[in-house]
Amino acid sequence: MSIAGRFEDALVAETAPGKEGPALLPVRLSRAVARMLPVDGAGISLAGDGGRRIPLGASSEAAATAEALQFTVGTGPCTCAQESREPVFALTADLRRRWPALAGLLQERTPYCAVVALPLREAIAGLGAIDLYFHREDAVAELDVFEAMAVGDLVTSVLSDTAVWSTWSPARGPDWLHGPAAQRRSAVWEAMGVVALGLEVDPAEALAVLRGIAYASDRTVDDVAADVLDGRLDPAELSPRGEPA
């Protein structure tokens, strides 16, 4: 069977009744990728301006956590793939050498020891990429890069086709941009505004403050943003470094 046929079968298998809507399409696509390829997890994300990164969907909670950790650190294989538009292969030694903070967090909080990040074509909004996660380093060698890139093209095609055949406003974008993971991340942008106002800093500095708090407290930026918006954390009590004033 062709790569396209196998991917279609995987996507059908991951489309449960009641979860067919476009908002959950990236989750189904991520699970289909993880089902079809010899990987232990997968996630789809977009990168935008000002360090903003939108998680669209993940194949599992562990894969979602891995994405959140990369966003918390502010760099990693997926960010590199999105910026360079080239595949990035990162085994344990590569992670420790290039992204030591992320390597430590992945080891502590996920079962993954290796990541392959593949850029998606430009047919969708922003700079997209797929993260492929592995429990074993030697499993990376089992990945057929041609097949993986072809699957990435199929993911882009499905997202693009869904956008073409659905109704949405240019300001909002397709519904698959507003799934549960993306909505949770949107709270970070709101919290950035609150922090920027409270500390009288620009949004980039506000994001750095949130990241500093998250890393120091062994949480994710998403968790810290929720604390800010819920009033459990007062930005006015912080210094621009995210430390108690």
Side-chain angles (χ1 to χ4, degrees), residues 99-166:
W99 306 286
L102 176 63
L105 290 173
L106 287 175
Q107 182 178 14
E108 293 171 6
R109 301 187 58 178
T110 77
Y112 306 129
C113 67
V115 182
V116 173
L118 305 174
L120 294 177
R121 306 274 183 181
E122 303 284 348
I124 56 178
L127 298 177
I130 293 179
D131 277 334
L132 305 175
Y133 301 107
F134 300 83
H135 293 167
R136 299 180 295 107
E137 282 192 333
D138 56 358
V140 175
E142 300 171 7
L143 180 69
D144 183 323
V145 179
F146 171 80
E147 181 180 60
M149 293 295 291
V151 168
D153 287 345
L154 291 169
V155 167
T156 301
S157 179
V158 172
L159 291 173
S160 298
D161 288 350
T162 302
V164 168
W165 295 105
S166 61

Side-chain angles (χ1 to χ4, degrees), residues 59-71:
S59 62
S60 64
E61 188 63 35
T65 297
E67 186 283 328
L69 294 175
Q70 184 168 185
F71 178 66

Side-chain angles (χ1 to χ4, degrees), residues 128-223:
I130 293 179
D131 277 334
L132 305 175
Y133 301 107
F134 300 83
H135 293 167
R136 299 180 295 107
E137 282 192 333
D138 56 358
V140 175
E142 300 171 7
L143 180 69
D144 183 323
V145 179
F146 171 80
E147 181 180 60
M149 293 295 291
V151 168
D153 287 345
L154 291 169
V155 167
T156 301
S157 179
V158 172
L159 291 173
S160 298
D161 288 350
T162 302
V164 168
W165 295 105
S166 61
T167 301
W168 46 274
S169 68
R172 174 179 169 81
D175 286 345
W176 49 255
L177 279 173
H178 305 280
Q183 289 183 26
R184 176 171 169 79
R185 182 59 49 78
S186 69
V188 175
W189 322 140
E190 186 177 351
M192 283 168 56
V194 174
V195 172
L197 183 63
L199 297 181
E200 298 183 350
V201 297
D202 63 33
E205 290 179 276
L207 179 56
V209 169
L210 293 173
R211 281 177 166 151
I213 297 169
Y215 190 75
S217 59
D218 194 27
R219 292 183 293 166
T220 66
V221 173
D222 302 89
D223 295 331

Side-chain angles (χ1 to χ4, degrees), residues 16-30:
K19 295 185 177 181
E20 304 94 339
L24 293 177
L25 175 60
V27 175
R28 299 196 299 272
L29 288 169
S30 298

